[in-house]
Amino acid sequence: MKYGQITLPTTNIPVSREVDVLVIGGGASGIAAAIAAARGGASTMLVEQRGFLGGMGTVALVPAFCPFTDKRKPIIRGLGLELMERMKQACDVGYREEYQELLDWVPIDPEVLKRVYDGAILESGVTPLYHTFVYDVVLSEDRRTVKGVVVVNKTGRSFISCQYIIDCSGDGDIAALAGVPFQKGGEAGELQPGSMCYLLANVNRPKFRRYLEESGDTGQLHQTVERAIEDGALPEGRKSISGLAWVDDYLVGVNFGHVFGVDGTLAEDLTRGAIEGRRLAERQLQFFRRYVPGFEHAHMVASGEQLGIRETRRIEGDYILSVDDFIAARSFPDDIARNAYYIDIHLANSKSQMTFNHLPPGVSHGVPYRILLPVGIDNLWVAGRSVSSDRAVQGSLRVMPNCFSMGQAAGSAAALALQSGTGSRGISVSELQRRLLEQDVWLGEDFMPAEETAGKKEGNTP
């Protein structure tokens, strides 16, 4: 409900910072973008609305990193793999020993990860600015470039000027404010549900393992969850746990169940989702205590600061990556990353079905540079789950390892644009690809930079 309008007086606001590259959003894509830009020689600022970095992995307590491999080899390398390995090394000895060789579904210790991210951006020379919201963007007269953003925080309202800007908000906030067209959800506007993740302490992992062996249930507790639903102890909906990620034998991260009808771009929906999510998490806690041996004395030590959000806006870019590209495992002349994560679209309501579509082991598709480029703006990149794709592919690209890759490419491209004095579309893609390869990014076994593939058919399957 709207309550009319008011007119604010015209005011002058101070310019608080002038930077080469401004990154908005401190999730996986924003961290990688900022580090890559700074390592590339650009003065870089990273603006984040919370008091720490990490996005869904720390804000929403998503309990594990999605796979970095195609089930045969690591295909997400570069900064993403570097940062995950740094988290492992910063964890306790038992954690390091158990997960040292693991690259898929690695449990997240959120407090360790926060410190790792802080250290990584400071070491690279990035200037962080936490507890800050973007209020508006300022465009050039021809509306082709973003001159900077108006931010609001405890200090007040100010303007940050930039030559280049990278939208890693996860929701395409900067692109939307700049007037870039976008899509949201399915044909009827339906959105994937959110999930309230949490950490449970005082659990007994060996006892839980014995229960699985004796009962024949799976690690996702299919049988146990179905029994609890039949008993009325859990609501109708997903009949298994999305994930249990064991940080230690007494501490486990949980991703379980859905909160429906939440649009992550609306504060009102996020408010309702947080309240409903905490209520559902409490009901799930009682389920664990009652139904799952090893969890009799479980204690919820933390729940997500906000609901975990799977999809909102998808910007319209120079190319829209499609489900056909995914299924055919296409490669592109302007590839800047590879992806093998399955299409994972969660049910929009408790009665609809989930969609899964897997590529064969060892197979991946290319992620073209053009999906990072929002139409109409020449100095803006979008990285993360809001890149230009159809809804099905967004259900695959949205996970943290892919966000690292896209962010690293965007940050490297911004540094290259600064050095060459061009816009986002004027850089040498082959030079960008060479730089990514030097940063240990994997672009395929026989990959050649773009200029060396001249004359080859676009969209070749590797």
Side-chain angles (χ1 to χ4, degrees):
M1 181 178 179
K2 301 294 185 181
Y3 295 96
Q5 294 180 332
I6 64 169
T7 300
L8 295 177
T10 301
T11 59
N12 293 321
I13 62 173
V15 176
S16 57
R17 189 80 180 188
E18 295 180 351
V19 296
D20 297 328
V21 177
L22 180 60
V23 180
I24 306 300
S29 60
I31 294 163
I35 292 173
R39 288 182 178 178
S43 65
T44 305
M45 172 171 271
L46 174 57
V47 173
E48 164 57 38
Q49 61 180 310
R50 267 86 181 189
F52 50 87
L53 302 174
M56 294 295 101
T58 54
V59 174
L61 293 183
V62 171
F65 286 108
C66 285
F68 281 70
T69 78
D70 61 6
K71 298 183 180 178
R72 289 186 177 169
K73 60 185 175 299
I75 64 168
I76 307 296
R77 304 180 191 177
L79 281 171
L81 194 58
E82 174 188 330
L83 291 166
M84 185 178 72
E85 293 298 334
R86 287 180 65 163
M87 183 199 74
K88 289 182 185 179
Q89 294 306 310
C91 286
D92 293 338
V93 173
Y95 179 102
R96 295 200 302 271
E97 291 177 348
E98 179 169 2
Y99 300 120
Q100 182 176 4
E101 303 300 324
L102 189 67
L103 296 179
D104 295 349
W105 307 111
V106 173
I108 291 173
D109 185 324
E111 293 305 316
V112 171
L113 193 58
K114 291 175 188 177
R115 296 193 297 271
V116 166
Y117 287 156
D118 284 340
I121 65 163
L122 292 175
E123 290 166 14
S124 67
V126 174
T127 300
L129 183 61
Y130 298 163
H131 302 290
T132 298
F133 282 84
V134 173
Y135 171 76
D136 204 355
V137 303
V138 177
L139 298 173
S140 60
E141 289 187 8
D142 63 3
R143 304 188 67 81
R144 296 288 305 183
T145 60
V146 177
K147 298 174 66 176
V149 300
V150 178
V151 298
V152 179
N153 54 29
K154 292 289 286 187
T155 309
R157 186 166 54 165
S158 67
F159 179 73
I160 301 174
S161 172
C162 63
Q163 293 193 55
Y164 302 96
I165 185 165
I166 307 175
D167 182 348
C168 298
S169 64
D171 300 311
D173 288 338
I174 305 307
L177 287 169
V180 175
F182 60 85
Q183 291 77 44
K184 188 191 291 186
E187 293 181 2
E190 72 276 12
L191 292 163
Q192 296 185 58
S195 292
M196 179 58 75
C197 300
Y198 47 89
L199 279 168
L200 296 180
N202 204 28
V203 292
N204 186 325
R205 189 182 187 187
K207 186 174 181 179
F208 173 69
R209 283 174 167 167
R210 289 194 298 273
Y211 168 68
L212 296 183
E213 292 173 0
E214 294 169 0
S215 67
D217 207 347
T218 67
Q220 292 182 303
L221 295 171
H222 294 272
Q223 299 173 20
T224 310
V225 170
E226 287 189 357
R227 188 170 77 252
I229 292 173
E230 291 174 0
D231 293 346
L234 287 174
E236 288 289 338
R238 188 166 189 182
K239 293 180 169 57
S240 65
I241 294 173
S242 301
L244 293 175
W246 292 88
V247 180
D248 208 318
D249 281 351
Y250 67 89
L251 182 65
V252 63
V254 183
N255 180 356
F256 182 18
H258 295 126
V259 178
F260 300 100
V262 173
D263 183 340
T265 67
L266 301 177
E268 295 81 1
D269 279 19
L270 288 172
T271 300
R272 174 177 59 81
I275 294 170
E276 291 185 12
R278 285 189 284 269
R279 287 174 179 164
L280 179 59
E282 166 61 20
R283 190 171 179 181
Q284 292 168 355
L285 174 61
Q286 299 308 319
F287 152 77
F288 277 111
R289 288 173 173 172
R290 178 181 170 188
Y291 285 84
V292 185
F295 285 75
E296 295 90 345
H297 306 290
H299 176 71
M300 188 179 300
V301 292
S303 59
E305 181 181 329
Q306 74 158 62
L307 207 62
I309 299 298
R310 293 182 171 90
E311 70 170 334
T312 53
R313 302 183 184 101
R314 306 187 309 276
I315 61 108
E316 183 180 333
D318 287 1
Y319 183 77
I320 299 175
L321 198 63
S322 72
V323 67
D324 290 338
D325 297 326
F326 177 95
I327 293 171
R330 290 197 176 100
S331 297
F332 302 88
D334 59 335
D335 276 345
I336 45 80
R338 306 291 299 181
N339 171 47
Y341 187 67
Y342 58 92
I343 291 175
D344 178 13
I345 301 178
H346 289 234
L347 62 168
N349 59 65
S350 61
K351 299 185 183 300
S352 59
Q353 298 298 311
M354 298 180 68
T355 298
F356 300 104
N357 195 322
H358 293 257
L359 291 172
V363 175
S364 62
H365 71 82
V367 180
Y369 176 65
R370 289 163 291 163
I371 72 170
L372 310 180
L373 305 180
V375 296
I377 308 293
D378 295 329
N379 69 335
L380 169 64
W381 292 262
V382 175
R385 69 170 185 245
S386 294
V387 295
S388 180
S389 71
D390 65 18
R391 190 179 187 226
V393 174
Q394 192 274 346
S396 171
L397 286 176
R398 62 182 174 83
V399 296
M400 284 184 277
N402 289 330
C403 290
F404 280 128
S405 290
M406 292 182 282
Q408 183 169 1
S412 299
L416 179 57
L418 176 70
Q419 293 169 2
S420 55
T422 65
S424 59
R425 293 169 178 83
I427 66 167
S428 165
V429 174
S430 60
E431 176 60 24
L432 172 62
Q433 291 167 330
R434 275 191 285 269
R435 293 189 180 193
L436 291 173
L437 292 172
E438 291 172 357
Q439 297 167 26
D440 199 34
V441 171
W442 189 78
L443 297 177
E445 295 293 354
D446 301 314
F447 176 80
M448 294 182 292
E451 64 184 12
E452 299 174 39
T453 63
K456 293 193 176 184
K457 183 178 179 182
E458 180 177 335
N460 283 348
T461 303

